[in-house]
Amino acid sequence: MNNALSDILITYATKPHKELNALLLDKSKDDLISLFNDLLTIYINDKNSSTIREFITITLAGYTHSNKKIGYNGFKQSVSIGGEFIACEAKPRNICTGDNNNRKTPRKLDGGGNFTDYTPERLKKDLAANLNILVSGFIDGQLIYILEFPFCNEGFTSCLKLKLKKRFKNKSREKGTFLRSASFGFRDYQNCKKLKIVYINVKALKDNRSNFNGKFYNFLTEKAK
């Protein structure tokens, strides 16, 4: 983080807003553009928070983002007359190519995602909600794709049921126990008849082929035709 951005963040957090305004007014237009770009780069690539990537995914898919910690990530109203609200869960992933330089096995986008602290009760709730899943992929903060499919797709739910069965062995779940990561891959939904391509940046996809799982890359290029 450069010193100018550091000063602005510290001033925002520790000083009256009039001092922040004075600091910003003292910057040139080019300086402000540079600072804003630096801040966005940090925020969108944040490894500890996917909030902005989640917001981008949900908004581009036509949903309204929800800031509530409990509940689904977004919602929209069905286009039919008197249509009900449709909920969605976003599963964005971001690859930081700089980090891959220090990894023996580089991370790659593979169309997968995961649910944290999942339970049989949560699965039952999600099935009843009839929500949609949004899977998206970013590379160094650049959006490459968004895919949408219904949660109730048989291949997808079978994957989650199998993982829950393995974790809890068909026994009643004890209080405070969870499946820490209920992961899934693109093969669990690739044959879904209602799979929708919300967004694909074809050029960025081709330019970043090395950052994709091979089979998923072929899957996306075929869908992009």
Side-chain angles (χ1 to χ4, degrees), residues 35-51:
L35 288 165
F36 186 63
N37 281 332
D38 287 347
L39 186 59
L40 279 178
T41 299
I42 293 170
Y43 191 14
I44 203 168
N45 287 296
D46 189 347
K47 297 179 180 65
N48 298 311
S49 173
S50 62
T51 300

Side-chain angles (χ1 to χ4, degrees), residues 12 61-62 70 79 81 131 145 162 166 181 192 195 213 225:
Y12 177 87
I70 299 177
V79 295
I81 297 176
L131 70 153
Y145 64 86
L162 184 62
K166 184 177 179 180
S181 179
C192 177
L195 177 65
N213 165 277
K225 292 179 179 178

Side-chain angles (χ1 to χ4, degrees), residues 12-44:
Y12 177 87
T14 63
K15 306 292 184 181
H17 282 185
K18 63 180 181 180
E19 292 192 31
L20 173 64
N21 292 341
L23 183 60
L24 292 174
L25 288 171
D26 192 45
K27 304 292 183 184
S28 69
K29 180 180 177 181
D30 287 343
D31 285 340
L32 290 173
I33 291 173
S34 177
L35 288 165
F36 186 63
N37 281 332
D38 287 347
L39 186 59
L40 279 178
T41 299
I42 293 170
Y43 191 14
I44 203 168

